[in-house]
Amino acid sequence: MKKLILIFTSFLIWSPTMNAGVFDNQKINSIDGENMDLSTYKGKTVLFVNIATKCGYTPQLKGLEELYQNHKEKSFVVVGLPSNDFGGQTPEVGKDVKKFCALNYGVTFPLTEKIVVKGDKKHPFVANMIKASGDNSEIGWNFEKFLVDKKGQVVQRFKSSVKPDDKKLVDLIKKNI
């Protein structure tokens, strides 16, 4: 009986931590320098993507915007995480990244401030998302994608080569919205 009580008590203490989503207790700023409250994404399906402006994958911004436009009415959002970690392929700062994305690819989805997404100095939000994905490997290149469900759980991680119109990605988004 004592073992059963101990097990039950341990479950009560640890279960909130085990079920914590990537939106919980995370702070990040928007591209405009304002606090971006990630808890506002609870209840939405979110595709987080580390983006770059001068990468061979940069044209994916157009497809990401199309995904966003096609599904935003169904509680779906794309969030771009600008990074300069891979070959210096995002040399712009702050609002210049936003301007580039809007002018060249019509991007209207939210962007965070430019952050580090790999190594010891990676942003805590990215570290948390990587851990929650179950794949603890570093982000390998620009345009890796993390699909997060309405509860803040990582559904799947996609490599850079997976395009925004990839059937598996689109089907998972539709399943989770």
Side-chain angles (χ1 to χ4, degrees), residues 25-49:
N25 303 313
Q26 297 295 313
K27 299 194 183 298
I28 197 164
N29 287 329
S30 73
I31 195 78
D32 298 317
E34 297 174 12
N35 180 42
M36 192 174 198
D37 184 1
L38 294 178
S39 69
T40 62
Y41 293 122
K42 283 184 180 179
K44 295 183 180 191
T45 301
V46 184
L47 185 65
F48 289 98
V49 185

Side-chain angles (χ1 to χ4, degrees), residues 118-131:
K118 71 173 191 169
D120 293 339
K121 295 182 181 181
K122 79 173 71 67
H123 193 282
F125 171 69
V126 173
N128 184 47
M129 194 164 50
I130 289 170
K131 183 178 178 183

Side-chain angles (χ1 to χ4, degrees), residues 54-125:
K54 308 281 189 255
C55 174
Y57 291 116
T58 300
Q60 285 190 20
L61 288 168
K62 181 179 180 191
L64 291 167
E65 179 64 22
E66 288 172 3
L67 262 182
Y68 176 58
Q69 291 300 326
N70 290 338
H71 302 290
K72 71 180 182 179
E73 298 299 320
K74 298 174 191 146
S75 296
F76 171 75
V77 66
V78 173
V79 176
L81 309 165
S83 168
N84 198 37
D85 294 344
F86 304 100
Q89 294 184 346
T90 310
E92 302 87 354
V93 292
K95 293 182 182 182
D96 291 336
V97 173
K98 181 178 178 179
K99 185 177 178 181
F100 172 89
C101 293
L103 288 175
N104 294 290
Y105 296 98
V107 168
T108 63
F109 56 80
L111 301 173
T112 68
E113 64 188 332
K114 195 157 91 172
I115 60 171
V116 175
V117 298
K118 71 173 191 169
D120 293 339
K121 295 182 181 181
K122 79 173 71 67
H123 193 282
F125 171 69

Side-chain angles (χ1 to χ4, degrees), residues 141-159:
W141 199 253
N142 299 310
F143 289 88
E144 276 204 30
K145 301 155 191 75
F146 293 81
L147 183 62
V148 178
D149 70 14
K150 294 177 181 184
K151 295 179 184 174
Q153 304 301 310
V154 176
V155 174
Q156 190 158 342
R157 181 176 174 178
F158 296 89
K159 296 297 182 189

Side-chain angles (χ1 to χ4, degrees), residues 129-140:
M129 194 164 50
I130 289 170
K131 183 178 178 183
S133 77
D135 175 357
N136 288 324
S137 63
E138 291 279 6
I139 289 176

